[in-house]
Amino acid sequence: MFTQFFGNYLLNKQLVSPEHLCEAMQQLSTTRLKLGVLAINAGLLTAEQVDIVHDEQQRVDKRIGDIMVDMGFADSEQIEELFKTQPKGHLLLGQALVDNGYMTTAQFERALNSYKAENSLSDTDLSNSNEEAIRKMIKRFYNFNDTDSSRYMTSYLTLLFKNIIRFIGDDFTPLEPDMSAIKSVIENCVIQRIKGGLSAITLISADNNAEIEFASRFAKEQLSDNDEYTQACISEFLNLHNGLFAVNLSNDEGIELLLEPQEIYNNIKFEELINPVTIPVSFSMGLINFVIIL
Amino acid sequence: MTIQDLKVLICDDSMFVRRKMKDSLSALGVTKIFEASDGEKAVVKYAESNPDIVFMDIVMPVKTGVDALKDIKSIDPDAKVIMASSVGTQKNLKEAISEGAFDFLQKPINERDLLKMLEKAVK
């Protein structure tokens, strides 16, 4: 996930254009070797075991390597070795940008070093996707404070980005919260409310093409219209994400949440939402806006 | 009875989930598949079709999956109802089992899960 936030850093420092970053992220996404493939190559897991691990990864908020260990397919030392052989995303992103002539190696080196320094990130944090370091980075990126509400928001967003990677893909760049990214009247959106130990509302909205592509990736089938089925796909992504958030809160803090059925709204007035935080996420398919009220 | 002979009822308000489950069940050779999009319709459909196994989402409009499970169990105490939810907490699992659910699945449900449940149902 550092790769995606590092991409945002490069954008903000105007070291790359949004188009060049998008192109490099897509390249990275299609060429990066996944841990499952490396595990098969190393003879640690069979293809069937990797499928089982991938299925499980959609139901528990754990790193793929930890699931492989939990399921008894490998031990932690073997997974550590495997991690070492996996090329790191932020380095591959740099390589793609340099290879395409969008940055020089020296510019990339300077950018990476300043990014690490500004975010107090070590090489180990970047290599191991350290959970605490990710949370710290997200808290800093969105300027969250130390209130309970900010703590839950940090957890919610950390999981949201992980779920985007799990269910949609890793070729995205998170952008700063931006109220102007949302139209005053949202024509098409999916909403799910959470009640119980915590109240929250999440809304997903995008333009037609971005919604169709987001839904297609989630459903693993090419959709062509923004119809009821496309909206059902986006709804289910939201439901799975909120479900995992509820499981985490139940396991970690003993807080039980109740999810309400997802709803599809047309023409909702943005001004009617109370204290919304808008999280725009830029994909090659377009901008997807997550509006969260927590 | 083989799994291909089973009559299966899928209850979920998500058209996406119903379609994916139907595709997976068809791939496993199941041909008698019924659908319901909320808890109330699930109870009506159960009475009409008398399925061998039911996959029931918990969070649904009109009537929740747990309430539909209670109604179905009152019609047929031997009904095999598998509860499904994206919220796979111990609380939800215990509640489902205490209300007489045959089993509990955390979403997303894949073909492997369905096969395991169908095999359990025909035993």
Side-chain angles (χ1 to χ4, degrees), chain A residues 1 13-15 27-28 31 34 40 56 74 78 90 112 121 126-127 147 160 196 202 238 262:
Chain A
M1 200 187 300
K13 296 286 174 188
Q14 297 183 330
L15 290 166
Q27 253 175 281
L28 170 72
T31 54
K34 301 274 192 309
I40 293 171
E56 188 62 13
Q78 289 169 318
H90 60 288
L112 182 59
L121 292 168
L126 287 169
S127 300
T147 60
L160 176 66
T202 306
L238 184 55
Q262 311 92 294

Side-chain angles (χ1 to χ4, degrees), chain A residues 131-147:
Chain A
E131 174 82 16
E132 209 33 57
I134 291 173
R135 289 177 59 88
K136 255 170 54 187
M137 178 187 65
I138 286 179
K139 188 180 164 196
R140 184 190 163 95
F141 185 85
Y142 292 106
N143 286 321
F144 290 147
N145 54 28
D146 289 319
T147 60

Side-chain angles (χ1 to χ4, degrees), chain A residues 223-292:
Chain A
L223 308 173
S224 52
D225 299 312
N226 197 354
D227 55 13
E228 199 186 340
Y229 185 70
T230 295
Q231 294 295 313
C233 296
I234 300 171
S235 291
E236 196 53 26
F237 166 82
L238 184 55
N239 186 43
L240 292 180
H241 164 62
N242 282 334
L244 281 169
F245 180 65
V247 171
N248 280 356
L249 268 197
S250 174
N251 291 342
D252 300 342
E253 308 201 21
I255 296 174
E256 300 297 336
L257 303 182
L258 296 169
L259 305 192
E260 302 237 315
Q262 311 92 294
E263 296 164 86
I264 293 162
Y265 274 87
N266 293 313
N267 300 323
I268 190 168
K269 284 187 184 155
F270 190 61
E271 63 187 25
E272 286 173 2
L273 303 173
I274 300 161
N275 295 327
V277 178
T278 303
I279 309 288
V281 182
S282 171
F283 290 83
S284 54
M285 61 183 100
L287 199 65
I288 307 282
N289 289 300
F290 297 88
V291 181
I292 302 156

